Amino acid sequence: MSESRPYRYASHLACPRCEADYALDSLRQLCACGSPLLVRYDLTRLAATWRPEQLAERPWSLWRYHELLPLAQPEAIVSLGEVVTPLVELPRLGDDMRLPRLVMKDEGLLPTGSFKARGAAVGISRARELGVTHLAMPTNGNAGAAWALYAARAGIQATIAMPEDAPYITRQECSLAGAHLSLVDGLISDAGRQVAGFVAATGVFDASTLKEPYRIEGKKTMGLELAEQLGWQLPDVILYPTGGGVGLIGIYKALQELQAIGWVKGPLPRLVAVQAKGYAPIVRAWQEGARESRFWDQSRTRAFGINVPKALGDFLVLEALYATDGRAIAVSEAAIDWEQRRAAQLEGTFVCPEGAAVLAAARELSTLGEIPADARVVALNTGAGIKYPDDRDLGVPRLAADEALPIPESTTRRPS
Ligand SMILES: *Cc1c(COP(=O)(O)O)cnc(C)c1O
Ligand SMILES: [Zn+2]
């Protein structure tokens, strides 16, 4: 019977703000009211016909959840091998912060080295299916890299604007992939205005964060995978480094959809949005109990991927935090640096600064007593540490060619 089931269960696009509906198979950007659009699925039919056991035979990639993805045809898939990323246990780091059940979903193993590959894989596949030949987007680096490379694979042109101090490797990825790349003396919000001008002048497809409805569907697969990897048991807390917030909204959407089809039960995990002290619009809004954030002036952090002074989907992020009894928290740059080193030393895992911010937040919330020691905690490491070749002074000795290597104090010398 399984062959006769449809490939796709997506039914329409819906506005989470004004509740307008749009047909699925037309090229759409924002709702007429200015809100992002979300893909809706026939969850009733899925609940009746889809079972977790049906996943057993499928390859371990995000496409195993195609019933909850927007593609009409499997032939449309543009893939670079999106592996299901590991849930890595962190027993020593967990003990160190009194969270012995801490695990990390390590997104650094995806193509292009960050979870942005999820959004690009689904977003580009869907764009190609709908006939897009050229797209434009602003980026803090990783999204542009992923979209440029997946666009190249799909034969789609990409125009990308990136702050000039974004991680150098991501610039190379865009440029080598043949994207039309511009470096901007400003923030992603400035690049966003430039892309909007370019789109207005050309009619090129706008692939900016949440200005098309499919990137979030790709990012949603983090939540689907996580639930499956935990045996369809939900954790107590999920911490996520929040920039545009698509990952967090996506995880929330995934868990709600799984709840609706009956694959997970009980309360949703508390969702925690992590930002940095030099840039914390969502944290400020959460502290004020606001439904939207205000533009954050002079925003700055080494965790470059989350430096978004005003996110289009801020109201959806905040809604997810309020609805799950979650919270937002900002960590210091010093805490990010320290935690990145700590994770590498205790666990051998080289997380990106954004991932380090999440671990630092877990530590802080444990210290504050806001996460109990028996909680099952999932930290998202959104990218590989090796994507950030900054030249911080790490205190490493420099030797002349004929100098002896220093012997660490902990090492005994051979008796002479
Ligand atoms: C883009 C990015 C984020 C933020 O993701 P959003 O879904 O936009 O909130 C976090 N970490 C890294 C490494 C990123 O590249
Ligand atoms: Zn609307």
Side-chain angles (χ1 to χ4, degrees):
M1 276 308 282
S2 67
E3 291 81 14
S4 64
R5 295 177 64 247
Y7 184 75
R8 179 170 76 169
Y9 288 76
S11 53
H12 61 285
L13 303 173
C15 175
R17 185 181 275 153
C18 77
E19 259 135 59
D21 283 354
Y22 297 89
L24 194 58
D25 288 316
S26 60
L27 263 189
R28 279 279 156 205
Q29 309 258 217
L30 295 173
C31 178
C33 81
S35 164
L37 291 172
L38 299 177
V39 181
R40 295 299 178 204
Y41 295 82
D42 187 346
L43 297 174
T44 312
R45 199 154 52 107
L46 264 180
T49 64
W50 199 28
R51 297 283 171 270
E53 303 77 61
Q54 288 167 289
L55 298 178
E57 304 291 305
R58 298 186 184 174
W60 284 96
S61 89
L62 61 80
W63 304 105
R64 68 197 267 103
Y65 310 108
H66 64 78
E67 284 89 343
L68 283 175
L69 290 172
L71 292 199
Q73 304 281 342
E75 293 72 30
I77 290 176
V78 180
S79 174
L80 288 166
E82 299 73 33
V83 294
V84 168
T85 58
L87 266 190
V88 181
E89 305 211 340
L90 302 176
R92 293 179 70 202
L93 190 68
D95 278 346
D96 192 50
M97 54 174 87
R98 273 185 267 138
L99 295 174
R101 300 176 75 199
L102 175 69
V103 295
M104 174 178 80
K105 189 156 174 64
D106 192 358
E107 298 284 293
L109 282 88
L110 284 163
T112 77
S114 87
F115 84 109
K116 293 294 196 304
R118 296 181 186 275
V122 174
I124 290 279
S125 296
R126 187 67 181 138
R128 187 173 72 167
E129 191 169 62
L130 291 171
V132 170
T133 56
H134 188 170
L135 55 83
M137 66 191 302
T139 178
N140 268 339
N142 285 328
W147 282 71
L149 288 158
Y150 277 87
R153 191 161 176 87
I156 294 176
Q157 285 192 68
T159 292
I160 294 176
M162 180 189 292
E164 64 187 357
D165 49 356
Y168 178 67
I169 286 178
T170 63
R171 180 190 308 179
Q172 293 213 11
E173 290 174 282
C174 293
S175 176
L176 294 179
H180 311 286
L181 175 67
S182 297
L183 299 177
V184 180
D185 178 11
L187 294 173
I188 190 171
S189 43
D190 302 303
R193 268 194 309 280
Q194 288 163 324
V195 165
F198 175 83
V199 164
T202 59
V204 158
F205 186 64
D206 191 342
S208 306
T209 303
L210 287 172
K211 287 195 182 168
E212 57 77 48
Y214 301 113
R215 184 198 299 213
I216 180 172
E217 295 304 296
K219 291 190 172 185
K220 184 178 86 176
T221 58
M222 272 187 291
L224 301 176
E225 285 180 16
L226 184 57
E228 184 175 15
Q229 287 171 302
L230 294 173
W232 308 109
Q233 304 284 314
L234 294 177
D236 300 306
V237 182
I238 299 176
L239 299 106
Y240 182 81
T242 305
V246 188
L248 191 136
I249 305 166
I251 291 172
Y252 180 55
K253 186 171 190 282
L255 300 182
Q256 284 181 310
E257 288 170 358
L258 290 176
Q259 226 177 15
I261 63 172
W263 287 21
V264 299
K265 305 236 149 45
L268 291 185
R270 298 174 61 198
L271 298 177
V272 178
V274 179
Q275 301 196 307
K277 290 214 154 92
Y279 134 80
I282 298 288
V283 179
R284 179 171 63 188
W286 178 79
Q287 281 163 345
E288 293 168 348
R291 295 192 50 212
E292 289 183 20
S293 66
R294 284 176 287 128
F295 190 92
W296 188 279
D297 285 313
Q298 311 274 326
S299 74
R300 215 185 141 66
T301 170
R302 185 164 82 85
F304 212 84
I306 55 176
N307 189 349
V308 181
K310 163 80 177 145
L312 189 60
D314 56 357
F315 71 103
L316 296 170
V317 174
L318 287 159
E319 193 180 297
L321 303 186
Y322 297 136
T324 61
D325 190 25
R327 62 163 295 161
I329 180 171
V331 296
S332 70
E333 296 299 304
I336 292 173
D337 289 355
W338 189 85
E339 202 70 52
Q340 190 182 33
R341 191 181 283 266
R342 194 77 173 165
Q345 287 178 349
L346 292 183
E347 300 288 2
T349 173
F350 187 19
V351 300
C352 63
E354 296 84 353
V358 155
L359 294 170
R363 183 183 297 277
E364 198 166 323
L365 292 175
S366 168
T367 305
L368 292 171
E370 289 208 26
I371 304 181
D374 62 353
R376 189 138 180 70
V377 180
V378 178
L380 267 298
N381 176 45
T382 39
I386 52 173
K387 289 204 80 176
Y388 299 72
D390 55 12
D391 48 4
R392 269 180 309 148
D393 180 10
L394 299 170
V396 179
R398 293 194 161 263
L399 306 182
D402 58 353
E403 250 178 298
L405 292 184
I407 297 175
E409 270 169 37
S410 53
T411 306
T412 48
R413 285 168 187 270
R414 205 191 284 279
S416 49

